[in-house]
Amino acid sequence: MTKYSKEFRFKLVQEVEDGLPIKTTARKYGVGENTLRNWWLHYSAGGIEQLFSIRRIYTKEFKIQAIEYRWAHRVSYLQAAADLGIPDEGTLYTWEKRYIEFGSEGLHDTRLGRLPTMPKKKVVPKKKRTREEELEAENAQLRMENAYLKKLNALVSEREKSERKTK
């Protein structure tokens, strides 16, 4: 998903407000028509605050009001979402589908996924090492590298010996 800056979105919405067709503006800037229409509807319904602010957590009561608003005014999901400040019309569609299938109980705030079972690790700031500790750590690192290279050298020479015997 492409992220567009606030300035860019506002610029395109202003061009639509000035009378340029949505289709023309969308083509001109390489943005999807539906995306631009969504931005414009949000701007028309609630101004610049609604164009930029995104609310993500909704109460059960708000969800029911949103569904009833759409039914009472007989508007599209996109228009209802714009009027109510819901960033995506798919969210409203999902609420309505759950409401029809399960009733108001289907609109409880349900987070997906399991609850975390392990406690979160506390971030412990690293202690500053003394010069002696740094040198000891570097020495240990060099010893490991040296042991690794010796083992690698032994394996390579063993392979070469076995290849000579088979020839």
Side-chain angles (χ1 to χ4, degrees):
M1 178 176 104
T2 305
K3 298 274 184 179
Y4 299 100
S5 70
K6 291 179 179 182
E7 296 81 16
F8 180 74
R9 285 187 277 171
F10 184 68
K11 177 182 174 184
L12 270 62
V13 166
Q14 283 300 314
E15 287 195 17
V16 172
E17 284 287 313
D18 291 342
L20 216 64
I22 291 176
K23 192 172 190 172
T24 306
T25 308
R27 268 198 215 139
K28 180 178 174 184
Y29 291 100
V31 175
E33 285 180 52
N34 290 336
T35 303
L36 182 54
R37 183 174 291 107
N38 195 356
W39 294 343
W40 178 70
L41 283 172
H42 279 277
Y43 179 79
S44 300
I48 198 161
E49 294 88 25
Q50 191 166 326
L51 177 63
F52 297 143
S53 67
I54 295 176
R55 191 169 146 211
R56 298 276 184 202
I57 299 173
Y58 305 96
T59 63
K60 177 180 157 182
E61 291 76 27
F62 177 81
K63 294 173 185 180
I64 292 171
Q65 287 175 350
I67 293 165
E68 290 174 352
Y69 173 85
R70 189 180 111 63
W71 291 346
H73 293 88
R74 297 180 184 265
V75 293
S76 68
Y77 290 107
L78 181 62
Q79 184 64 51
D83 292 345
L84 298 169
I86 302 169
D88 184 29
E89 68 272 10
T91 304
L92 187 56
Y93 173 78
T94 303
W95 293 345
E96 188 174 313
K97 187 176 171 184
R98 274 199 231 142
Y99 184 71
I100 291 168
E101 190 172 339
F102 303 110
S104 64
E105 295 304 311
L107 297 176
H108 280 295
D109 184 23
T110 55
R111 308 266 186 214
L112 296 177
R114 292 187 340 205
L115 294 174
T117 55
M118 294 184 63
K120 293 187 177 183
K121 292 182 180 179
K122 294 179 183 175
V123 177
V124 180
K126 290 185 177 180
K127 297 179 188 176
K128 286 215 169 196
R129 293 189 205 175
T130 63
R131 179 69 179 148
E132 185 177 328
E133 290 172 334
E134 286 178 2
L135 290 173
E136 286 176 2
E138 184 180 355
N139 197 4
Q141 177 71 28
L142 290 172
R143 282 187 188 135
M144 284 190 295
E145 287 177 11
N146 204 3
Y148 173 78
L149 292 173
K150 283 181 183 178
K151 184 69 172 177
L152 180 64
N153 196 12
L155 290 171
V156 168
S157 65
E158 189 178 307
R159 183 181 293 158
E160 287 175 353
K161 283 181 186 177
S162 66
E163 286 178 0
R164 280 188 225 141
K165 287 181 181 178
T166 57
K167 289 184 180 179

